[in-house]
Amino acid sequence: MLSSWPILSIVTFLPLMGVLFILLASGNNKSSEHNCKMLTIWVSSFTFIVSLILYFGFDTTMAGYQFEEQVEWIAGSGISYHLGVDGISMPLILLSTFLTPLSILASWHSIKNKVREFMIAFLVLETMMVGMFASLDMMMFYLFFEGVLIPMFLIIGIWGGPRRVYAAFKFFLYTLAGSVLMLVGIMVMYLQAGTTDIPVLSDFNFPPQLQYWLFIGFFASFAVKVPMWPVHTWLPDAHVEAPTAGSMILAGVLLKMGGYGFIRFSLPMFPDASVYFAPFIFVLSVVAIIYTSLVALAQSDMKKLIAYSSVAHMGFVTIGIFTLNEQGITGAMFQMISHGLVSAALFFCVGIVYDRLHTREIDAYGGVADVMPNYAVFFMIMMLASVGLPGTSGFVGEILVLVGAYQASSLVAFFAATGLVLGATYMLWLYRRVVFGRAEKGEVIRMPVLNNREITILAPLTIFIVWFGVYPAPLLDVLNPVVALISEAVSNTQMATANIQ
Amino acid sequence: MLFTQMTFQAAMPEYILAVVALGLVLMAAFTGESLGSRRLVKMIALVGYGFAFATTFILPSESQVIFLGLFKIDGFLVYMKGLVLIGAFFACWMVDEDWSDGVEKPEYQVLIMLATLGMLLMISANDLISLYMGLELQSLPLYVIAAMNTRSLKSSEAGLKYFLLGALSSGMLLYGASLIYGFSGSTQFGEIASSIAQNGASSGMIIGVVFLLSGLAFKVSAAPFHMWTPDVYEGAPTPVTALFAIAPKVAAISLLLNVTHFVFADIRLEWMQVIIALSVASMAVGAYGAIMQKDLKRMMAYSSIAHMGYALAGLAAGTQQGAAGVMIYMTTYIFMGAGTFSIILMMRRDGLPVQKLSDLAGFSSTHPYCAFGLMVFMFSMAGIPPLAGFFAKWYVFLAAVNAGLIPLAILGVLTSVIGAFYYLRIIKLMYFEDVDQPLDTNAPKENIIILTASLVVTGLFLFIIGPLREWTYFAATNFPISGAL
């Protein structure tokens, strides 16, 4: 019965429905603000519940697209409203719908002005994110991909920290500059193939010479989004200035758009170019991992440190993707989901202490374990997951990426593993300086313990992080068929190229 | 027979505007400058535009040439006429009679209507003579209304500057026209085209084309013929600027399309170079010039230069697809412009118009709806999907890429990123900053209606792009130019 419903459209546009309701609830007093928050929470939670249908109705034996919907959009031009999910996009949609209510809950008290507008921006953002992962048409994909910029620009710019204007502009312009080059690439592909349908384009076999140029165009966009060194500099600024909820979504979902783009477009559509450019990507990723880990070590601002750690972790993702083998790509996907949960949780952990002390300077803290023992436990789990301790989701992704990388190049695997050590260094050091020691400063001693709202946010994140670490099968089952398909297609090209040579 | 039923029907909007404009001249002369008189004049003018627009639906969509070959009508031209009339209607409606911006004379509406008539004639021109007549009928009233605010030195300066540079460009255009006439032996578009088809283009002809295009480039304010735009936009009374920003550009670019894609279709490789140069220069000047501006109207001037650069990128493709792209671009341009200027007109402090960018600080807390509207227009002008401006850029650059002009397209999208910076700056002022001195909140309902209409078109463009694309692609088949759709 459910299969006849347009589940994907419902999941995508439910948040927009919520926006309509918020617009109807007029008034500027406290109670209407509260109603807005409640409405947003309910709408986004309901969206998450509906999106679970995607998981439980998902056929893990199939590699193709499921829950497909296709309606004519721009008549006669090969551009249609086409939605569908496969093993790659489905987990990312769930990640988005899962993190959105948590982020809204995280900003419950910290957003004080323009509450209505904040909730609207967040719901629009959710629609854009889900729509982007669900799109099976390049035009629609681009619409959502770029559309994300509008709410995120406002979230950083209106509710951000002191340097929010600079950060918002940098975020917007960096991303836009990358994306427009992809747009020209999309135009070229559209003119070649006569359609923007992603499944058609994936099988189109563009001539290798053209693939190189198209790859560069798409790379410009996704590299900024991931972000890869050296175009990562917008990320620390954006993270530091964004409100906690903004950072959670930015790190949790928005960074994944780049990795998703590589897997969805670059590998299947430009296999020759992917093989050709893989060493180049490895170099950039290795630099990203080692360089940003070292930079993270030097940070005195907690959020900035975690932001740089995100760049390093996403370096693992890009390495995994361009190993072009099954383990590597699976590891990259797993790492993306895991990083989505872990980094969102870490940013929330920073948000918790920031709400209490209104500073993110590491030196201002110390001895938090004495005052907030349960916080220390949660923070430790997140920190260890970020380091990649076995038993947490971070480990599964990293080990798979390393296995894949070792097959591709042992040198890359060696440098990536170095990054793991550095990652452990800065995370443990951060943890030691913030949580351990003696609580001496007056403000730290007076910090209240975690309240129920904060535990409600951290608990589900912790559950999933540990669950995926101990029993990764549910996620791996979803990923395996489609990853096998993609890596097989690429390796066929690889062999074909080798035969010619 | 010079006047038959056919000629009557085909030139219906022009007849209506001419009759209404002449009637209004008399009426204004008798009723004087009182508020009631101005209201009445405006009302009649609006009805005139409305009727003229309604008649565009009964105009023939297949190509017809009437009035001894001076006047042409076809699907493409009808579409452009419709756009101009919508623009003129908005520009006329936006002027609130209670405000004194220096345009509180009934002649103002008469002059706008005469200029609109000139635009329609320009669009339908099928002969170098009617081209020039239409162009001048459009320009002369605009020179006058740019200088209409006699109390303002800047307005006089704007009018004078516009007039002098306009006269220069008319001279260039005429010189080009005379060369074209000399080398082809006719002033009629059709005969010029067939002369080129038979004899090829001599270098004299090409020089003539370049001069003609330069004259027209002045009218669309494409760089390097853009010098007048910022000063005129800034100095002219705001309602006049609104008109400049909306209607004449559409007429001029339509004429440019008609001349290049119809008359000189056979020598497109020659004029394409000129258009590409104009396009690149306009995109660059528009993007960089706007960054340092502190005056909102001046910034909009540079923004319009950039927009013309993008539209010219579609024109540079030299294909029917490019022509359709330009049509889509101008459609979105009209609505974004009308919406933006309906807000700029509302920007007042103690009843006096203000136009500094910094006056927008904290606009979102005092005028939430207008600020939201302006934000949508700014994102749209920056080309951010899913708004109208994105689709417009998509179709012009798609045509450019299809014609092999990939570097032009890349340059175009990159300058649009630079352009995004100053559009974002307006959003920053409105949303990220606090109110300094609040602006008046009493907005006339006309402006709110125009704002809402433009907002609907701009925001929900993704729902109308399908039929619009089909429509414009069909209209573009009127051009006898090669190139796949």
Side-chain angles (χ1 to χ4, degrees):
Chain A
M1 183 201 81
L2 270 173
S3 58
S4 61
W5 286 45
I7 303 288
L8 269 177
S9 294
I10 294 175
V11 175
T12 307
F13 294 107
L14 251 181
L16 270 193
M17 292 289 128
V19 171
L20 286 185
F21 283 113
I22 292 183
L23 289 175
L24 290 178
S26 57
N28 264 327
N29 52 19
K30 277 270 167 268
S31 68
S32 89
E33 279 182 2
H34 184 75
N35 289 344
C36 280
K37 290 183 197 168
M38 288 310 281
L39 191 79
T40 316
I41 275 288
W42 281 113
V43 168
S44 54
S45 310
F46 186 61
T47 311
F48 174 60
I49 291 166
V50 176
S51 70
L52 284 178
I53 297 175
L54 294 176
Y55 179 76
F56 290 110
F58 196 81
D59 182 356
T60 52
T61 56
M62 250 174 67
Y65 297 103
Q66 308 181 24
F67 299 100
E68 269 192 82
E69 298 164 29
Q70 189 159 18
V71 186
E72 191 171 65
W73 176 21
I74 303 180
S77 66
I79 300 172
S80 61
Y81 174 87
H82 192 178
L83 295 181
V85 287
D86 62 3
I88 290 170
S89 47
M90 193 271 285
L92 288 166
I93 290 179
L94 254 60
L95 181 69
S96 315
T97 55
F98 175 64
L99 284 181
T100 306
L102 295 184
S103 308
I104 291 164
L105 204 56
S107 50
W108 204 252
H109 296 299
S110 50
I111 300 298
K112 292 191 175 64
N113 62 332
K114 296 188 180 164
V115 176
R116 250 158 60 103
E117 286 83 350
F118 182 82
M119 298 301 157
I120 292 174
F122 235 88
L123 288 176
V124 172
L125 183 64
E126 184 177 12
T127 288
M128 296 291 177
M129 293 185 305
V130 175
M132 197 214 66
F133 291 125
S135 297
L136 284 187
D137 184 281
M138 291 277 247
M139 188 79 164
M140 281 181 65
F141 170 81
Y142 190 80
L143 240 62
F144 288 119
F145 187 81
E146 285 283 86
V148 165
L149 293 183
I150 298 178
M152 204 61 211
F153 175 74
L154 296 175
I155 288 172
I156 298 175
I158 300 180
W159 297 280
R163 286 173 72 240
R164 59 185 197 276
V165 175
Y166 173 75
F169 270 68
K170 200 168 177 182
F171 162 74
F172 195 100
L173 293 176
Y174 257 70
T175 320
L176 186 66
S179 305
V180 292
L181 293 175
M182 174 171 78
L183 183 67
V184 177
I186 294 178
M187 285 177 183
V188 173
M189 291 167 74
Y190 172 50
L191 290 170
Q192 285 267 319
T195 178
T196 50
D197 205 51
I198 290 174
V200 176
L201 289 173
S202 302
D203 300 333
F204 189 76
N205 292 329
F206 290 95
Q209 207 56 43
L210 184 64
Q211 279 187 27
Y212 295 146
W213 290 107
L214 291 174
F215 185 92
I216 293 171
F218 278 69
F219 174 77
S221 172
F222 298 142
V224 173
K225 240 349 194 253
V226 166
M228 292 176 76
W229 183 86
V231 285
H232 66 282
T233 56
W234 63 268
L235 181 89
D237 287 310
H239 269 311
V240 169
E241 300 307 326
T244 305
S247 297
M248 286 169 73
I249 286 293
L250 195 58
V253 184
L254 262 54
L255 302 191
K256 311 301 170 294
M257 290 161 59
Y260 171 76
F262 279 129
I263 300 180
R264 172 69 78 229
F265 301 102
S266 301
L267 296 196
M269 294 180 193
F270 324 126
D272 296 294
S274 300
V275 175
Y276 181 78
F277 283 107
F280 169 66
I281 307 249
F282 285 152
V283 171
L284 290 187
S285 308
V286 165
V287 172
I289 292 174
I290 294 180
Y291 169 77
T292 51
S293 297
L294 291 174
V295 174
L297 268 174
Q299 297 305 316
S300 59
D301 181 310
M302 293 160 81
K303 254 186 160 177
K304 226 171 187 161
L305 191 150
I306 296 170
Y308 278 110
S309 85
S310 285
V311 182
H313 282 128
M314 292 310 286
F316 276 98
V317 172
T318 43
I319 286 184
I321 293 171
F322 283 90
T323 59
L324 306 174
N325 55 41
E326 242 181 288
Q327 290 87 348
I329 300 174
T330 313
M333 271 306 296
F334 205 100
Q335 171 82 341
M336 284 210 277
I337 303 290
S338 157
H339 179 257
L341 299 169
V342 174
S343 65
L346 278 172
F347 277 115
F348 182 60
C349 284
V350 176
I352 289 173
V353 285
Y354 179 78
D355 282 347
R356 287 165 170 73
L357 228 56
H358 298 289
T359 175
R360 290 182 305 260
E361 288 298 310
I362 298 173
D363 293 342
Y365 297 89
V368 175
D370 289 350
V371 228
M372 299 167 72
N374 44 5
Y375 171 78
V377 174
F378 278 121
F379 195 8
M380 184 186 70
I381 296 169
M382 305 311 168
M383 183 269 297
L384 291 175
S386 171
V387 169
L389 187 82
T392 62
S393 60
F395 172 74
V396 184
E398 280 177 357
I399 196 76
L400 281 169
V401 168
L402 284 179
V403 169
Y406 201 78
Q407 296 172 38
S409 151
S410 51
L411 202 63
V412 171
F414 168 75
F415 282 118
T418 318
L420 283 183
V421 179
L422 287 170
T425 317
Y426 60 73
M427 284 314 287
L428 290 171
W429 199 35
L430 166 76
Y431 191 74
R432 190 193 71 75
R433 286 186 289 169
V434 173
V435 176
F436 292 147
R438 179 142 298 229
E440 280 160 348
K441 303 185 182 72
E443 317 86 68
V444 175
I445 293 170
R446 281 191 295 278
M447 289 206 306
V449 293
L450 288 185
N451 57 31
N452 288 338
R453 177 180 64 89
E454 287 156 347
I455 293 174
T456 317
I457 297 167
L458 284 172
L461 285 167
T462 315
I463 291 170
F464 279 110
I465 288 169
V466 176
W467 185 2
F468 286 145
V470 178
Y471 183 61
L475 188 50
L476 291 177
D477 286 346
V478 171
L479 291 173
N480 279 337
V482 55
V483 169
L485 193 76
I486 292 174
S487 65
E488 195 188 338
V490 179
S491 60
N492 284 345
T493 331
Q494 221 164 352
M495 274 188 291
T497 325
N499 285 343
I500 292 167
Q501 284 163 355
Chain B
M1 279 287 280
L2 195 51
F3 291 95
T4 60
Q5 200 209 328
M6 187 184 88
T7 63
F8 185 72
Q9 197 194 343
M12 199 71 163
E14 284 84 354
Y15 284 126
I16 293 175
L17 288 193
V19 169
V20 174
L22 293 177
L24 287 181
V25 173
L26 285 178
M27 222 189 84
F30 283 106
T31 54
E33 296 196 1
S34 68
L35 183 65
S37 148
R38 276 186 278 142
R39 282 222 173 108
L40 193 64
V41 168
K42 180 177 159 186
M43 193 58 72
I44 296 174
L46 284 178
V47 173
Y49 291 123
F51 267 111
F53 181 71
T55 56
T56 58
F57 288 99
I58 58 161
L59 290 181
S61 62
E62 67 277 17
S63 185
Q64 280 185 18
V65 176
I66 53 170
F67 295 145
L68 305 173
L70 287 172
F71 188 96
K72 192 174 79 164
I73 191 80
D74 65 29
F76 163 75
L77 303 172
V78 171
Y79 184 88
M80 288 315 225
K81 283 184 184 183
L83 283 187
V84 165
L85 285 167
I86 294 174
F89 182 87
F90 280 160
C92 166
W93 204 22
M94 256 184 233
V95 187
D96 192 276
E97 301 85 355
D98 299 330
W99 286 336
S100 51
D101 289 330
V103 294
E104 63 279 12
K105 303 180 182 70
E107 291 89 340
Y108 174 68
Q109 298 291 2
V110 180
L111 288 169
I112 291 191
M113 188 162 266
L114 285 172
T116 312
L117 177 60
M119 292 174 212
L120 297 189
L121 290 174
M122 219 166 119
I123 290 175
S124 266
N126 192 41
D127 189 293
L128 292 173
I129 304 284
S130 55
L131 178 156
Y132 187 69
M133 276 176 52
L135 201 69
E136 288 303 294
L137 180 57
Q138 180 238 201
S139 303
L140 287 170
L142 295 185
Y143 298 147
V144 178
I145 57 171
M148 195 123 191
N149 187 357
T150 44
R151 293 185 301 273
S152 153
L153 211 58
K154 278 204 162 172
S155 174
S156 312
E157 184 203 329
L160 190 64
K161 203 163 203 166
Y162 192 25
F163 175 69
L164 286 177
L165 289 172
L168 180 71
S169 83
S170 291
M172 291 203 296
L173 188 136
L174 269 183
Y175 183 56
S178 69
L179 280 174
I180 292 168
Y181 169 63
F183 282 89
S184 68
S186 173
T187 56
Q188 263 203 26
F189 284 0
E191 285 174 31
I192 297 172
S194 53
S195 149
I196 293 173
Q198 279 165 17
N199 313 324
S202 56
S203 47
M205 172 75 88
I206 289 171
I207 294 173
V209 173
V210 172
F211 272 106
L212 188 75
L213 292 184
S214 308
L216 290 176
F218 177 89
K219 299 293 173 197
V220 296
S221 71
F225 304 99
H226 65 284
M227 307 313 189
W228 60 276
T229 323
D231 293 327
V232 172
Y233 268 51
E234 184 192 2
T238 311
V240 179
T241 313
L243 175 74
F244 282 161
I246 307 170
K249 301 271 169 68
V250 180
I253 207 136
S254 162
L255 181 57
L256 200 53
L257 260 174
N258 199 13
V259 168
T260 51
H261 285 54
F262 175 64
V263 189
F264 301 113
D266 283 331
I267 49 167
R268 67 171 173 160
L269 291 179
E270 271 75 17
W271 58 253
M272 264 168 78
Q273 303 166 24
V274 179
I275 302 285
I276 290 171
L278 288 173
S279 170
V280 170
S282 306
M283 292 189 294
V285 166
Y288 285 104
I291 291 177
M292 296 306 288
Q293 300 307 324
K294 295 188 171 60
D295 185 294
L296 188 54
K297 279 156 75 183
R298 245 185 129 75
M299 197 209 89
M300 287 306 294
Y302 281 102
S303 150
S304 84
I305 294 171
H307 281 304
M308 287 306 126
Y310 300 128
L312 287 176
L315 216 148
T319 55
Q320 292 181 348
Q321 193 184 24
V326 175
M327 290 166 79
I328 296 174
Y329 204 100
M330 295 322 286
T331 314
T332 65
Y333 176 80
I334 278 212
F335 286 100
M336 294 187 300
T340 309
F341 272 96
S342 73
I343 296 167
I344 296 179
L345 271 169
M346 280 188 259
M347 285 173 56
R348 270 148 209 282
R349 194 174 286 134
D350 308 324
L352 293 172
V354 291
Q355 56 188 61
K356 286 267 167 290
L357 275 179
S358 52
D359 291 318
L360 280 173
F363 198 55
S364 67
S365 38
T366 52
H367 303 67
Y369 182 63
C370 295
F372 174 73
L374 196 52
M375 175 175 77
V376 171
F377 296 130
M378 290 300 126
F379 275 129
S380 175
M381 288 191 189
I384 306 300
L387 304 168
F390 165 73
F391 291 97
K393 288 204 172 72
W394 165 266
Y395 279 104
V396 290
F397 287 129
L398 190 69
V401 169
N402 204 9
L405 304 174
I406 294 180
L408 178 68
I410 292 178
L411 217 63
V413 293
L414 287 180
T415 54
S416 84
V417 177
I418 301 166
F421 172 76
Y422 57 81
Y423 295 125
L424 289 183
R425 204 165 56 150
I426 294 197
I427 299 167
K428 177 206 101 177
L429 282 164
M430 294 192 303
Y431 279 88
F432 302 176
E433 291 191 0
D434 293 326
V435 192
D436 189 16
Q437 290 169 290
L439 300 174
D440 298 353
T441 45
N442 52 335
K445 64 176 184 314
E446 294 96 322
N447 292 39
I448 295 292
I449 295 171
I450 294 173
L451 169 61
T452 309
S454 311
L455 199 56
V456 168
V457 174
T458 310
L460 302 181
F461 201 73
L462 69 168
F463 293 108
I464 53 175
I465 181 66
L468 189 69
R469 175 192 167 276
E470 258 179 305
W471 200 1
T472 54
Y473 274 43
F474 176 72
T477 53
N478 280 301
F479 290 114
I481 199 155
S482 59
L485 271 174

